[in-house]
Amino acid sequence: MIEPHWIRIFRIVKQLADRRLLNLRMIDLKDLSVVYSENRSALSHVTLHVEKGEFVFLVGPTGAGKSTMLKVLYREECDIQGMVKVMGFDIPSMHPRDVPKLRRSMGVVFQDFGLLPNKTVFENVAFALRVIGAGRREIRSKTPEALDMVGMTHRCDAFPNQLSWGEQQRVAIARALVNRPSLFIADEPTGNLDPDTSMGIASILEDINSTGTTVIVATHDKHIVDALRKRVVAFNHGCIVRDDPNGRYDIEEKPQVS
Amino acid sequence: MIEPHWIRIFRIVKQLADRRLLNLRMIDLKDLSVVYSENRSALSHVTLHVEKGEFVFLVGPTGAGKSTMLKVLYREECDIQGMVKVMGFDIPSMHPRDVPKLRRSMGVVFQDFGLLPNKTVFENVAFALRVIGAGRREIRSKTPEALDMVGMTHRCDAFPNQLSWGEQQRVAIARALVNRPSLFIADEPTGNLDPDTSMGIASILEDINSTGTTVIVATHDKHIVDALRKRVVAFNHGCIVRDDPNGRYDIEEKPQVS
Amino acid sequence: MRFATLAFLFDEAYKNIKRNGLMSIAAITTVTITMAILGGVDYSLYRVYQVASTLPSKFEIQVFLKTNATRKQTLALQNTIQGMPGVKTVSLFTKEAAWAEMQQEDKERRTFLTADVPGNPLPDRLDIKMKRPQDIHPMCLTLRNSARFPWIDTVKEDNETLNRMMATTRLIANLGIVIGLFLLVASAFVIQNTIRLTVYARRREIRIMQLVGATSRFIRFPLILEGFFYGCLGSLLASGIVLFAAEQFSNYVRAFQTPISEQLPQEINPFVFVLGMMVVGMLIGSFGVFLSIRRFLKRV
Amino acid sequence: MRFATLAFLFDEAYKNIKRNGLMSIAAITTVTITMAILGGVDYSLYRVYQVASTLPSKFEIQVFLKTNATRKQTLALQNTIQGMPGVKTVSLFTKEAAWAEMQQEDKERRTFLTADVPGNPLPDRLDIKMKRPQDIHPMCLTLRNSARFPWIDTVKEDNETLNRMMATTRLIANLGIVIGLFLLVASAFVIQNTIRLTVYARRREIRIMQLVGATSRFIRFPLILEGFFYGCLGSLLASGIVLFAAEQFSNYVRAFQTPISEQLPQEINPFVFVLGMMVVGMLIGSFGVFLSIRRFLKRV
Ligand SMILES: Nc1ncnc2c1ncn2[C@@H]1O[C@H](COP(=O)(O)OP(=O)(O)OP(=O)(O)O)[C@@H](O)[C@H]1O
Ligand SMILES: Nc1ncnc2c1ncn2[C@@H]1O[C@H](COP(=O)(O)OP(=O)(O)OP(=O)(O)O)[C@@H](O)[C@H]1O
Ligand SMILES: [Mg+2]
Ligand SMILES: [Mg+2]
């Protein structure tokens, strides 16, 4: 707030240059470690690159470090070692003031949904637009569109605690999509949805990916991973154990239990 | 508190008689409806009987009313129409003082886990024993046992917010199991677990069912439903659309997407 | 309740206080400040009341003797009166002393009246103080009985001082009670509000406990213990503050050498004060939790 | 900030207040009570100070003229003194009035001194009041210059009354400032505590907003507005309570007919009082939120 205007403009131009003109990677991780206490590390020495427009599934058993990985990307977890660049922002050395800017250019579906309990479904989704300073007209056109995409228009005046679990999850997805982010991150977006609705969400993700948005999804949902055949990065004990450009949920073809 | 002792004793004896001697059904629903507002009903005219020792899956698309159904059983949702009897307790006309007694004889895995944020994993699980007035020795032996069953012993001093999503879910399962309830209710107990861990949980449920505990599980997990081949009750729009004693998740055998 | 359960509930309260640092601190400081204000104001009012009721007047009844009464008769009368019920002190103001005072006054006022007067025309005077203000008037009536007290010329009642004093102390006492009660209610309200917010912040936890099968009593007990503790500790700190401030204040007033400063009689027993404060604090604290938690326990 | 955003933030604050019924009520009642105590005590202290500083003495300087001064000379002197800087009033107490008073007194005291005195030996007297207490002593020195005022015999300074009054008002003023400030800080603390708890109860919401990309300013603004509103409404209610109580109190005291009751001079302008309370309340309210929210915004 106290820095001169031109320095600010210069900084923004530089960031734009970094991101657009030099055509940087969307995500650039090198030797990333997240250590909670001496003997517990959620991630250890992870190196991962994601280009613009990619669609990546993060898979792995529970506690493998998928959520931690995503938290690093939107800088919730910032007590990290190693190099992390997301959309040109250097996460570890980032000024707190720039964090909102980072988060506004991505859409995140949190594992616990993170809906505001005192706001209706409509207001929750609109909030993501408010935050980027959208005008009234924009909000009125874009919010119902996003709700419609996930099939929640009919509940737009309900409060989150009046929704079923799967409905809340869909509202969270709508909020992450509404401001057309260039990076879409979802932590277990279909964990509470029945297989049919899950497939619906998966095809929405494919759609937005096809318009150029980078999509990163942590999931346990074998079905959608196997159906979409996108890049699969498998974690175990905080390490990447597999990185398969057209992967499946499991390595070997286990016979289906039925 | 002010009623004479003998009335209390009489009441308890009568309940025991109702439950044990008359060998009542575990769950007895007749024409149950839950109406939130004029045009929204979560359940409409549901009739369902569950005998002691049964294992029942509740399935159905998101928003079908599965969670509402379970909430009725542990009397979180008590603004209901129709007849509901659970373990001999008459839910709609139940005295508030008796509600803890009902809940203590069942174990519930909530969809949002419901772990106490200010207690460690151990304390959370032990709390279910505290509530029934268990002594110190009992707590010290039973709690680690339950944690071991779900594979969470190594994190017993962590607080819930230091756990991954799947780890929290397993702690919630341990808490529901720890006091060996005669009715076990779980709402989406494997929603955030990878397929292998899910199958592990499923076999735990099968085990406790084989010791005589009645198990009711609401789930979207096609795998475990199809693997266990237990009774499946399918909901849609608040009505029971299928009740199959050895069912699968879907009616017809859809070809597996892979 | 079994001992293990009871021990657990105490442990529970202890952990709640420890793990909710911010809330505990907020609750304790609010109790401390509020109780300090309550205690401080009530303490001061009581002190002022004490002072006001001991302030009045050098005399309450003045008895002028006849000018021809001998000193012996005067002294006999003084003794008689001193022996009468309800009398605190009787002091003799001799005619000689009166005359000297008058001459001095005269000189100061430059009126030179006494110069022309031969001898001492003044009578002896007895100044009587009674133990209780309400006895003053009956005493005067008794003394005016000239058959019983032949040497008494006039009995003068210090009506003005008396009325003023009675009115003032009554005023202070009444106001004190009103203000004290108002402050008590106000403090209870403020503390209750704070506690309600700390309970409110834990409504989800309370709900979870209910769903796991905890009885209302089981949930309530540790929280009430917590409120009890807040009330206790807060009041203790508040008493300390008030007693310290009162000490400072006394010193300050004494340094002023005003007429008030000579008249700071009895002290309030600090032990009783601290005890009183603690009891009030504990009651407000634990009862505050009890009231706050009801609404959250209502929905079983 | 764009207008739409600003409008949204206002709307946000409004909805927060509405949808968090319990917290809003708790915050407003706490502000009301605390501000009422603060306002009430400060109001009373100021009133007592006002009364104390107007109480003193029928005179401040007594000038006794020579007995042989004529009435004309006396009146001339009165005029001269009245014209001197710093003088508030000069009233003449004539020798005739003084003599009559003395005779009356004499009769009441049964001393019968005046009876033997031929004629009126008393001088005229001028009672002077000064505008400011500190001017009294210099004025006396001036008047004692016998070359300038040949007809003045003696100048008497009312030291005792004066000192007493000065000491008392100084005491009250000093204490008033200490108590007033202490209460201000205490109120700010209590209100801040309450607001902190309301913010604390919403820490998860604040966290979610941050994660969705809201700037600190964007999160803070509605909450500060909320605090502002609590402070505003609470103070307004508190002022109402204090003014009402003050009115009742005045009536009550007046009914007592004590000497104090005749001396309730200037009123405090209620408009100024309400305004002052509102400003203090609003500052505490909004600043309280500002301080409370910092710790939650620190973790970006
Ligand atoms: N704040 C914390 N303190 C200590 N350990 C933590 C903390 N947060 C997470 N962990 C641990 O880090 C590991 C990785 O957690 P993470 O949430 O990334 O797992 P995950 O892959 O998302 O699992 P899930 O599929 O169950 O959500 C877990 O073992 C977890 O217990
Ligand atoms: N408090 C409430 N007020 C209004 N409607 C509600 C309320 N609670 C639930 N509903 C509605 O009732 C319906 C059934 O909800 P329920 O939670 O039982 O679904 P569910 O089968 O558990 O779905 P999911 O699989 O997504 O958890 C939903 O449409 C939901 O929106
Ligand atoms: Mg996770
Ligand atoms: Mg559900």
Side-chain angles (χ1 to χ4, degrees):
Chain A
M1 253 177 264
I2 37 162
E3 76 188 329
H5 226 64
W6 61 268
I7 291 198
R8 202 175 164 75
I9 289 171
F10 176 77
R11 205 153 44 83
I12 291 171
V13 167
K14 193 176 159 294
Q15 279 166 4
L16 288 176
D18 281 358
R19 276 187 278 164
R20 298 268 158 77
L21 302 179
L22 301 181
N23 199 20
L24 268 176
R25 285 194 179 110
M26 187 50 88
I27 292 166
D28 216 348
L29 299 178
K30 211 178 274 167
D31 208 26
L32 166 71
S33 295
V34 176
V35 180
Y36 285 118
S37 58
E38 287 138 48
N39 43 9
R40 298 204 58 73
S41 67
L43 291 177
S44 49
H45 308 289
V46 170
T47 299
L48 179 70
H49 307 292
V50 177
E51 305 292 337
K52 265 185 200 143
E54 269 194 282
F55 192 128
V56 183
F57 281 116
L58 307 184
V59 301
T62 163
K66 306 179 294 296
S67 297
T68 307
M69 171 83 228
L70 298 183
K71 280 180 189 164
V72 169
L73 297 184
Y74 54 85
R75 204 178 177 275
E76 184 174 358
E77 191 60 63
C78 51
D79 191 14
I80 58 184
Q81 290 144 26
M83 192 201 81
V84 183
K85 281 202 180 211
V86 178
M87 297 189 278
F89 289 98
D90 185 41
I91 301 285
S93 70
M94 204 169 178
H95 192 284
R97 194 182 12 197
D98 294 331
V99 173
K101 225 177 295 157
L102 165 75
R103 290 184 185 150
R104 284 177 204 171
S105 46
M106 50 173 64
V108 183
V109 181
F110 305 101
Q111 202 157 13
D112 62 352
F113 315 151
L115 298 177
L116 295 163
N118 269 333
K119 288 191 191 304
T120 63
V121 166
F122 186 93
E123 287 168 346
N124 260 293
V125 175
F127 191 78
L129 290 170
R130 300 273 187 204
V131 159
I132 59 168
R136 214 169 281 207
R137 199 163 326 147
E138 200 179 341
I139 288 170
R140 268 203 219 120
S141 73
K142 281 189 178 171
T143 309
E145 206 177 286
L147 284 173
D148 196 44
M149 223 186 255
V150 297
M152 285 298 299
T153 318
H154 62 297
R155 299 300 315 259
C156 70
D157 289 327
F159 287 94
N161 67 351
Q162 298 175 333
L163 297 181
S164 88
W165 214 237
E167 287 165 346
Q168 289 183 43
Q169 195 152 42
R170 283 184 283 161
V171 174
I173 294 170
R175 183 180 62 184
L177 291 175
V178 71
N179 57 7
R180 318 232 163 110
S182 50
L183 173 60
F184 178 89
I185 292 177
D187 200 347
E188 213 86 64
T190 58
N192 294 284
L193 296 175
D194 53 296
D196 291 347
T197 317
S198 294
M199 283 312 296
I201 297 294
S203 69
I204 292 172
L205 298 187
E206 228 175 354
D207 284 354
I208 63 163
N209 177 238
S210 67
T211 65
T213 303
T214 312
V215 176
I216 300 185
V217 178
T219 190
H220 291 305
D221 196 327
K222 198 168 152 46
H223 283 276
I224 63 168
V225 177
D226 289 351
L228 264 57
R229 300 300 298 263
K230 301 286 187 180
R231 179 175 170 192
V232 174
V233 177
F235 283 77
N236 204 354
H237 295 297
C239 301
I240 293 181
V241 293
R242 182 161 59 103
D243 189 345
D244 198 342
N246 292 299
R248 291 167 173 271
Y249 189 86
D250 302 297
I251 307 173
E252 73 271 41
E253 288 284 78
K254 276 193 204 160
Q256 290 291 330
V257 195
S258 66
Chain B
M1 251 178 266
I2 37 165
E3 76 189 329
H5 227 65
W6 63 268
I7 291 199
R8 203 176 164 75
I9 289 170
F10 177 78
R11 206 152 44 83
I12 291 171
V13 168
K14 191 176 161 295
Q15 279 168 5
L16 288 177
D18 282 358
R19 277 187 278 166
R20 297 267 159 78
L21 303 180
L22 301 182
N23 197 19
L24 267 177
R25 287 200 179 104
M26 188 49 88
I27 292 166
D28 216 349
L29 299 180
K30 211 178 275 166
D31 209 25
L32 165 71
S33 295
V34 176
V35 180
Y36 286 117
S37 58
E38 288 137 48
N39 43 11
R40 298 205 57 72
S41 68
L43 291 176
S44 49
H45 307 287
V46 169
T47 299
L48 179 70
H49 307 292
V50 177
E51 304 294 336
K52 267 187 201 142
E54 268 194 284
F55 192 129
V56 182
F57 281 116
L58 307 184
V59 300
T62 162
K66 304 179 296 296
S67 297
T68 307
M69 172 81 227
L70 297 183
K71 280 180 189 165
V72 169
L73 297 183
Y74 54 86
R75 204 176 176 275
E76 183 174 358
E77 191 60 62
C78 51
D79 191 14
I80 58 185
Q81 291 145 26
M83 192 202 82
V84 183
K85 284 203 178 207
V86 178
M87 298 189 277
F89 290 98
D90 186 38
I91 301 285
S93 71
M94 202 168 181
H95 193 283
R97 193 181 12 196
D98 294 331
V99 172
K101 222 177 297 158
L102 166 74
R103 290 187 184 147
R104 284 178 205 172
S105 46
M106 48 170 67
V108 183
V109 181
F110 306 101
Q111 202 159 13
D112 62 352
F113 314 149
L115 299 177
L116 295 164
N118 270 333
K119 290 192 190 303
T120 64
V121 166
F122 186 93
E123 287 168 346
N124 260 292
V125 175
F127 191 80
L129 290 170
R130 301 274 186 201
V131 159
I132 59 168
R136 217 168 280 206
R137 198 163 328 148
E138 200 180 341
I139 287 170
R140 268 204 220 120
S141 72
K142 280 189 179 174
T143 308
E145 206 177 287
L147 282 173
D148 196 45
M149 220 186 257
V150 297
M152 286 298 299
T153 318
H154 61 298
R155 300 299 315 258
C156 70
D157 289 328
F159 286 94
N161 67 352
Q162 298 174 333
L163 297 181
S164 89
W165 213 238
E167 287 164 348
Q168 288 183 45
Q169 196 152 41
R170 283 185 282 161
V171 174
I173 293 170
R175 183 180 62 185
L177 291 174
V178 72
N179 57 5
R180 317 226 167 117
S182 50
L183 173 60
F184 178 88
I185 292 177
D187 200 347
E188 211 87 64
T190 58
N192 296 283
L193 297 175
D194 54 297
D196 291 347
T197 318
S198 295
M199 282 313 297
I201 295 295
S203 68
I204 293 172
L205 298 187
E206 230 175 352
D207 285 354
I208 64 164
N209 178 237
S210 67
T211 66
T213 303
T214 312
V215 176
I216 299 185
V217 179
T219 190
H220 289 306
D221 197 326
K222 199 170 152 44
H223 282 275
I224 65 170
V225 177
D226 288 352
L228 265 58
R229 299 300 298 261
K230 300 287 185 180
R231 180 174 171 194
V232 173
V233 176
F235 282 77
N236 204 354
H237 296 296
C239 300
I240 292 181
V241 293
R242 181 162 59 103
D243 189 344
D244 199 343
N246 291 299
R248 293 167 172 269
Y249 189 86
D250 302 298
I251 309 174
E252 74 272 41
E253 287 284 80
K254 275 194 204 160
Q256 290 289 332
V257 194
S258 67
Chain C
M1 234 181 269
R2 292 174 48 174
F3 174 76
T5 311
L6 208 65
F8 167 70
L9 292 177
F10 269 90
D11 186 55
E12 192 79 348
Y14 167 73
K15 280 191 187 142
N16 275 348
I17 293 167
K18 215 182 54 182
R19 290 182 186 164
N20 289 305
L22 190 139
M23 286 194 324
S24 307
I25 291 170
I28 292 171
T29 48
T30 294
V31 174
T32 305
I33 293 173
T34 317
M35 288 301 294
I37 293 174
L38 171 65
V41 171
D42 282 3
Y43 190 96
S44 323
L45 282 173
Y46 189 65
R47 289 297 271 139
V48 168
Y49 176 73
Q50 271 191 343
V51 171
S53 43
T54 50
L55 261 182
S57 66
K58 310 224 152 60
F59 77 99
E60 290 169 352
I61 304 172
Q62 287 187 326
V63 176
F64 293 93
L65 278 85
K66 298 222 165 96
T67 28
N68 53 351
T70 64
R71 182 55 45 89
K72 225 171 121 190
Q73 282 160 337
T74 307
L75 290 171
L77 183 62
Q78 187 181 10
N79 266 337
T80 316
I81 295 174
Q82 185 69 71
M84 287 166 74
V87 173
K88 199 155 97 190
T89 59
V90 185
S91 56
L92 171 61
F93 191 59
T94 60
K95 52 179 108 177
E96 293 77 19
W99 186 236
E101 190 184 281
M102 181 166 279
Q103 278 175 321
Q104 178 60 30
E105 232 175 61
D106 202 28
K107 225 161 80 194
E108 269 176 23
R109 273 155 125 193
R110 324 223 135 219
T111 42
F112 313 108
L113 291 168
T114 51
D116 305 335
V117 180
N120 179 356
L122 300 177
D124 279 337
R125 197 182 80 206
L126 293 174
D127 292 345
I128 305 173
K129 283 196 187 183
M130 301 300 291
K131 281 182 191 139
R132 300 183 311 165
Q134 56 268 49
D135 288 343
I136 294 173
H137 193 65
M139 186 65 181
C140 288
L141 295 181
T142 314
L143 293 174
R144 284 198 186 110
N145 178 348
S146 55
R148 197 166 150 207
F149 301 104
W151 295 109
I152 289 180
D153 184 74
T154 330
V155 176
K156 237 177 97 183
E157 208 171 325
D158 187 12
N159 272 318
E160 200 201 351
T161 310
L162 187 71
N163 286 344
R164 193 181 292 199
M165 163 208 131
M166 295 254 298
T168 309
T169 50
R170 201 143 30 99
L171 183 70
I172 294 174
N174 289 359
L175 273 180
I177 289 169
V178 169
I179 294 176
L181 278 182
F182 168 76
L183 272 182
L184 186 69
V185 172
S187 314
F189 228 96
V190 168
I191 293 175
Q192 147 79 351
N193 256 342
T194 302
I195 287 178
R196 194 196 314 221
L197 287 176
T198 70
V199 172
Y200 179 76
R202 275 178 284 182
R203 62 198 180 287
R204 222 182 85 83
E205 278 170 78
I206 292 174
R207 186 78 197 123
I208 292 172
M209 290 185 191
Q210 284 190 324
L211 289 179
V212 175
T215 55
S216 295
R217 243 202 297 174
F218 193 87
I219 299 170
R220 210 190 282 130
F221 188 79
L223 288 169
I224 287 182
L225 259 186
E226 219 181 300
F228 186 86
F229 170 76
Y230 293 152
C232 217
L233 185 62
S235 310
L236 200 65
L237 292 175
S239 322
I241 293 172
V242 170
L243 289 176
F244 176 77
E247 183 60 32
Q248 294 301 310
F249 174 77
S250 293
N251 293 345
Y252 182 73
V253 169
R254 240 172 244 128
F256 254 96
Q257 296 293 358
T258 65
I260 313 170
S261 65
E262 295 142 27
Q263 253 133 347
L264 291 171
Q266 311 106 283
E267 291 284 325
I268 296 171
N269 184 338
F271 183 72
V272 171
F273 178 71
V274 173
L275 203 77
M277 290 277 282
M278 299 256 295
V279 168
V280 171
M282 282 163 358
L283 282 179
I284 294 179
S286 37
F287 208 65
V289 170
F290 185 79
L291 290 180
S292 309
I293 209 174
R294 263 199 326 193
R295 85 151 62 201
F296 298 106
L297 291 179
K298 214 181 278 163
R299 187 185 155 207
V300 185
Chain D
M1 236 181 267
R2 292 175 48 174
F3 173 75
T5 311
L6 207 67
F8 167 69
L9 293 176
F10 268 90
D11 186 53
E12 192 79 348
Y14 168 73
K15 280 191 188 142
N16 275 349
I17 293 167
K18 215 181 54 182
R19 290 182 186 165
N20 289 306
L22 189 137
M23 285 194 323
S24 308
I25 290 169
I28 290 170
T29 48
T30 295
V31 174
T32 303
I33 293 173
T34 318
M35 288 300 294
I37 293 174
L38 171 66
V41 172
D42 282 3
Y43 189 97
S44 324
L45 283 174
Y46 189 66
R47 289 296 273 136
V48 170
Y49 175 73
Q50 272 190 344
V51 171
S53 45
T54 51
L55 261 182
S57 65
K58 312 226 153 61
F59 76 101
E60 291 169 351
I61 303 172
Q62 287 189 327
V63 175
F64 293 95
L65 278 83
K66 300 220 163 102
T67 27
N68 53 351
T70 64
R71 181 56 44 87
K72 226 171 117 192
Q73 282 159 338
T74 306
L75 290 172
L77 184 62
Q78 187 182 10
N79 265 338
T80 314
I81 294 174
Q82 184 70 71
M84 286 167 74
V87 173
K88 199 155 94 189
T89 58
V90 184
S91 55
L92 172 60
F93 192 57
T94 60
K95 52 179 106 181
E96 292 80 18
W99 186 238
E101 194 185 276
M102 181 165 279
Q103 280 176 320
Q104 178 62 29
E105 235 175 57
D106 202 29
K107 224 159 84 195
E108 272 177 19
R109 274 157 123 191
R110 326 224 135 219
T111 44
F112 313 108
L113 291 167
T114 49
D116 304 334
V117 180
N120 177 357
L122 300 178
D124 279 337
R125 197 182 82 207
L126 293 175
D127 292 346
I128 305 174
K129 282 197 185 177
M130 302 299 291
K131 281 180 190 142
R132 300 183 312 167
Q134 54 268 49
D135 289 343
I136 294 174
H137 193 64
M139 186 66 181
C140 288
L141 295 180
T142 313
L143 292 174
R144 283 194 184 114
N145 179 347
S146 57
R148 203 165 145 202
F149 302 104
W151 295 108
I152 291 181
D153 185 73
T154 328
V155 177
K156 236 176 99 185
E157 213 170 320
D158 186 11
N159 273 317
E160 199 200 349
T161 311
L162 187 72
N163 287 345
R164 192 179 294 198
M165 161 206 130
M166 295 252 298
T168 309
T169 51
R170 203 143 30 100
L171 183 71
I172 294 175
N174 289 0
L175 274 181
I177 289 170
V178 169
I179 295 175
L181 277 182
F182 168 77
L183 273 182
L184 185 69
V185 172
S187 315
F189 228 97
V190 169
I191 293 175
Q192 147 78 350
N193 258 344
T194 302
I195 286 179
R196 194 195 315 222
L197 287 175
T198 70
V199 172
Y200 179 77
R202 275 178 286 182
R203 63 199 180 286
R204 221 182 85 83
E205 279 171 78
I206 292 174
R207 186 81 198 120
I208 293 173
M209 289 185 190
Q210 283 189 323
L211 288 179
V212 175
T215 55
S216 296
R217 242 200 297 174
F218 193 87
I219 297 170
R220 209 190 282 133
F221 189 78
L223 289 169
I224 287 182
L225 259 186
E226 222 182 299
F228 186 86
F229 171 76
Y230 294 151
C232 215
L233 186 61
S235 310
L236 199 66
L237 293 174
S239 321
I241 293 172
V242 170
L243 289 176
F244 176 77
E247 182 62 31
Q248 295 301 310
F249 174 77
S250 293
N251 293 344
Y252 182 73
V253 170
R254 239 171 245 129
F256 255 95
Q257 295 293 0
T258 65
I260 313 168
S261 66
E262 295 143 27
Q263 254 133 346
L264 290 169
Q266 310 106 282
E267 290 284 324
I268 294 171
N269 184 338
F271 183 71
V272 171
F273 177 72
V274 172
L275 204 76
M277 290 277 282
M278 298 256 295
V279 168
V280 171
M282 283 166 353
L283 282 179
I284 295 179
S286 36
F287 207 65
V289 170
F290 185 78
L291 291 180
S292 311
I293 208 176
R294 265 198 325 192
R295 87 152 60 200
F296 299 105
L297 290 180
K298 215 183 278 162
R299 187 184 155 208
V300 185

